Amino acid sequence: MKTILKKSSLMVAAALLAASSCKKFDDLNTDPLKANGDQVQTEYFINNSIIGAQQDPGLSERVFILYWIVGGHGLQDEDGETFSRGSYSDDWTSEYYRQSSQWMNAANSAIQIGNDQIAKGTSKAYTKNLIQVARIWRAYLMSEFSDSFGPMPTDGFQGVNPEFKDVKTVYYFLLDELKDASAKLDLSIVNPANVINEDPAYKYDYAKWRKYANAMRMRLAMRLSEVDPAKAKAEFEAAAATNDFITDASQTFSVQESHGWDPLASVFRKESSWMGLPMSATYNNLVFGLGSVKSADQLDASFASAIKPADWMGQRFFDQFATKTNDPAAGYWFNGLPNTIDPRAYKIFSIPGNITDPNYPAIGGAFTATQEDLKDASGKVVKTLTSTNTWNTKADGNWGAKASMNDAITTNGFKPLLNLVYRNGNNKRVFFGPWETYFLLAEAAVRGWTVPVDGKTAYETGIAKSFEYFGTTANLATYLASTDYNRVGTSVNWGHTTEPAASHTMNYEDGLTGAAGTVAINYPKNDLYKSGTVRNDQLTKIITQKYLAQLPWLPLETWNDHRRLGLPFFENPAVEDIMPDLPALTSGNYMTSSVKFFPQRLKYPSTLSNSNITGYNQAISALGGADAVLTPLWWAKH
């Protein structure tokens, strides 16, 4: 692979080859590999590009799950030894780089073919609109690529040798593209049925494509908030002033998944018998105790005996559980269900042992174990834990010798797992939902930018749109009024900005002896945001709610927000033993937070440096740092 984006003269041939499996080629009377620009239509390439970007199961397991979700702390790092520890796999990045290049080339070819047909007088009434759609979609693909790797070419489709550009240049280009393409959409155009069917997202409803473009402008403008605030403000305000962006579930950019082994298959892989997709410690700390909605009011009576008091911390096992992390639940096994919890949690994740639930991910029976042992240093069993109706997560990192002493925490069935609702291929993968628009508007309002809605209204509407998606609207009023803190010291209510005390008193019992005790649990200090002095201001609330709304579909965005702001609170990887790829994190500083403790980007694959050393050197120069997992991107928090 010489470049990400081929020269203009080569793109059509490359994209025709990539699209040769498209069903439309079956209808041609000529050899599909000899099809010309009049026979191969713009909409075919757009369709191929959108479908390909859903990521086939082999790619989604590695990039969507083991990179983006781990980076965004949406699920536990099941691989356990790669991205959460600052490491990477060249094979994984090479495949994403290759396929992402194909998706972008297909979008580029759609644009070129459309322009060629216009020049030759063979275009259709809708061709100009298709070109704008391809530009809008290409802007998303380029943002996805740049947010993963960093610098990339922006001129590969302009008939010149592409050069890698710095991230600032990439973002300025994308914002210009979205503005120009959305303005050129003609909403009066009506498409024939055969064209409508080539758009798996919006069926070529151009009004929705324009809303998506403006929503994307707000997303990308906000990305620049910490490093280029004047540009961020100007671009965001211009997009918001259109009052033409995604605000309703019917406008969600989403693509129907399938049941096969193809790019449309679920990104969460129902078929995988080793991937339990357990809830992350980050998610659990944010939802635990948040919102004042009682478990007793969410679950049927059969769970009543398992629900614990609000001041229950659990059973303490300091010898078998990692404690060298700033996870506020470190060292404790929660032997029941939370008294109160964000109602979305039970919609997304299973309750361990609840195997009669039709959405329980008991794939091949692999996740149905209910009893596992804890051992001492000599290997002697000292406690057998039962997982049924418990609620625990595992901090990523290196558990050292404790990993071999704790069969429970390494067994997937012992933790809440992602429900089959998100794994069975019956859902739609979401790329942009209405909740995100409102959380972006809320953040802009807090920053003092001119937007068409006040911060409180935008914030509460964002939560309402998320609750609507998850089917928890009945709990909305209680939730919005709640002043209860979650495990990291953040509450829901917009006007409740009182900071929590440094600690709160909880009850626990010694896991081995059963002896009761009380303990002062500190709220973790997030040094990445306002030097760790603030846990409950309005921006923290917004980004916490945005994180909860984006999962499970948008882990790249949760990772982006954390890299940009240091929000919401991410616990450090456990450092019971050293992690060579996270050298800054030690047993002496694990209670603090640092960008050096979290992955910042994907390394470029060796295929780039091996085949195009000039392009690779351009990329690294534009990156402004080493080609390393821990090198921050330009817009990220430093």
Side-chain angles (χ1 to χ4, degrees), residues 317-323 333 372-385 394 398-411 414 512 576:
F317 295 100
F318 279 4
D319 290 336
Q320 288 81 20
F321 283 74
T323 56
W333 168 261
E372 292 291 348
D373 295 330
L374 302 183
K375 304 167 186 174
D376 62 18
S378 69
K380 177 185 176 182
V381 174
V382 294
K383 181 77 173 183
T384 298
L385 296 180
K394 174 182 179 290
N398 189 342
W399 279 47
K402 292 181 178 181
S404 62
M405 298 163 63
N406 193 329
D407 293 336
I409 206 64
T410 57
T411 300
F414 266 60
L512 297 183
E576 296 291 332

Side-chain angles (χ1 to χ4, degrees), residues 33 122 158 282 570 623:
L33 296 182
T122 59
Q158 297 175 345
T282 297
F570 282 10
L623 180 63

Side-chain angles (χ1 to χ4, degrees), residues 57 80 215 241 425 448 617:
N617 288 337

